[in-house]
Amino acid sequence: MKLQRKNMLRASALGALVVSGALVLTACGSDDNTKDNGSASGKPAAAAGDIKCDDAKGKLLASGSSAQKNAVDLWVKAYMAACSGVEVNYKSSSSGEGIVAFNQGTVGFAGSDSALKPEQVEESKKVCTGGQGINLPMVGGPIAIGFNVSGVDKLALDAPTLAAIFNDKIKKWDDEAIKKLNPGVTLPSTAIQAFHRSEDSGTTENLGKYLKAAAPEAWTYDAAKKWPAPGGQAASGSAGVASQVKAVDGAIGYFELSYAASQNIKTVDINTGAAAPVKASADSASKAIAAAKIAGTGSDLALKLDYTTKAEGAYPIVLVTYEVVCDKGNKAETLPTVKSFLNYTASDAGQKVLSENGYAPIPAEINTKVREVITSLS
């Protein structure tokens, strides 16, 4: 009760806390969390009163997906300001590294852009005493296809054409396949410079899932974190790909929408077969994710996305980042903080942070189940 009264008093004093989207965290420490900085949208991430600290205490380590980094930075900033004496450190690395750390028992939860594979679930049973690792969808978002072609401000592509571009089959911007999709647009004969990620990436894997599902004849590779196609040029991280697209005339590449927004990079509208090509946005990604089906069983909420959707206004190239936790057998010293923090990220206030900063909130029907599972963690 004392802790609760302390948090209520602190919430009253803080009011509507504004958080910083520029905070960089590592598993070893964090920036100064006492400053009242602005978020990427200039809007508050959450009022302190929206965050229930409960019995959270001490230090919580987490790591994994870089796709959700900006969202987690905002969440952590708001949460730590509201919950005195609690430290949450999220190391932005990769989905694979996060799962390895989770299955080694060194983090309270991991972020992954792909659901746990059966062998990873089996391995998790060693650290989840009496339970196993489960997937909680927490962050959604569009994978934007950024382009830089002098004189071209608007561009539409479909899955087969996009696959041919990234597969080094279409080499010029005035190719007939591109012209057919863009009537009235003057396309130059500039050479296409396609950029992809140099390291294993969940973003690469999710783009591959889309191309494989929507253009199986043009994209014959199995979805994987490692870039599979010949040709093109590699760059490190989404930031590296975005920088190259920004700098090179004739360039095209893929990255989370926030990178396009921050660098003012034009993005491709995707022709899905709907009445009009769909622009990448948080809202259009949410519409696609809303059609997802829960593929997991029990407490596991892994989703099956429909990459071939033709729903009006639904952007099909999306990824969902999961927070990977133990359903049972969580460490007693970190369980209260894990539940408290994830309760906030899954709350209306926590999900609102996503829509205000270029991410897509998890649809309400699915998110309701996420909240129920978080409450049941033990």
Side-chain angles (χ1 to χ4, degrees), residues 89-146:
N89 290 309
Y90 182 80
K91 181 182 179 181
S92 173
S93 51
S94 68
S95 299
E97 290 179 46
I99 291 172
V100 168
F102 178 77
N103 281 340
Q104 290 176 341
T106 60
V107 295
F109 70 89
S112 176
D113 302 329
S114 299
L116 292 168
K117 295 179 171 58
E119 60 271 21
Q120 292 169 332
V121 173
E122 192 62 32
E123 188 178 355
S124 73
K125 294 177 181 179
K126 298 175 184 177
V127 295
C128 302
T129 307
Q132 65 180 43
I134 57 172
N135 305 281
L136 300 179
M138 197 66 70
V139 180
I143 299 174
I145 307 298

Side-chain angles (χ1 to χ4, degrees), residues 157-160 181 210 214 270-278 307-314 316:
L157 297 172
D158 59 12
L181 293 166
Y210 162 72
I270 301 300
N271 187 326
T272 64
V278 185
Y307 294 103
T308 62
T309 179
K310 296 181 181 179
E312 297 299 328

Side-chain angles (χ1 to χ4, degrees), residues 12-91:
S12 177
L14 286 171
L17 178 69
V18 182
V19 298
S20 169
L23 176 66
V24 179
L25 298 173
T26 70
C28 299
S30 65
D31 291 346
D32 179 5
N33 294 293
T34 62
K35 296 179 181 179
D36 190 21
N37 297 319
S39 73
S41 66
K43 300 177 182 179
D50 294 329
I51 299 173
K52 295 179 174 61
C53 304
D54 298 325
D55 297 320
K57 60 183 178 181
K59 180 182 291 188
L60 172 63
L61 301 181
S63 69
S65 165
S66 62
Q68 68 170 357
K69 175 191 180 301
N70 292 337
V72 176
D73 285 353
L74 292 166
W75 283 333
V76 169
K77 184 75 171 182
Y79 182 80
M80 287 174 56
C83 298
S84 178
V86 181
E87 184 178 350
V88 180
N89 290 309
Y90 182 80
K91 181 182 179 181

